[in-house]
Amino acid sequence: MEPLLIVLLFANAVFNAVVWPRFYPRIAKDPRARDAAGKPTPFLIVHTVLIAIALVLAVASVIAAIAALVG
């Protein structure tokens, strides 16, 4: 069971690190990302926070996978 856990944690980390950041350029260019004054809208802020959370989860998954490998 432990090898499966390690593989899943690494797969989660790779997925989050590869897939989510690719969305940011598209989100930033979206017309809903900024208001008429050029300020970030809730659309941009929420999506940026979601991407940041995904990257934090990727780091946590790598740390957990390494901890499972070590002992």
Side-chain angles (χ1 to χ4, degrees):
M1 187 67 159
E2 192 170 301
L4 178 60
L5 170 68
I6 294 167
V7 169
L8 287 174
L9 286 168
F10 277 126
N12 176 63
V14 170
F15 178 84
N16 282 336
V18 171
V19 172
W20 284 102
R22 295 183 59 155
F23 285 112
Y24 185 78
R26 289 173 41 196
I27 293 165
K29 290 178 186 175
D30 192 295
R32 298 171 289 177
R34 303 216 177 253
D35 63 13
K39 290 182 178 180
T41 62
F43 173 85
L44 179 60
I45 294 167
V46 166
H47 284 86
T48 302
V49 169
L50 289 173
I51 292 167
I53 290 169
L55 294 176
V56 168
L57 288 173
V59 171
S61 292
V62 167
I63 292 169
I66 291 170
L69 275 173
V70 172

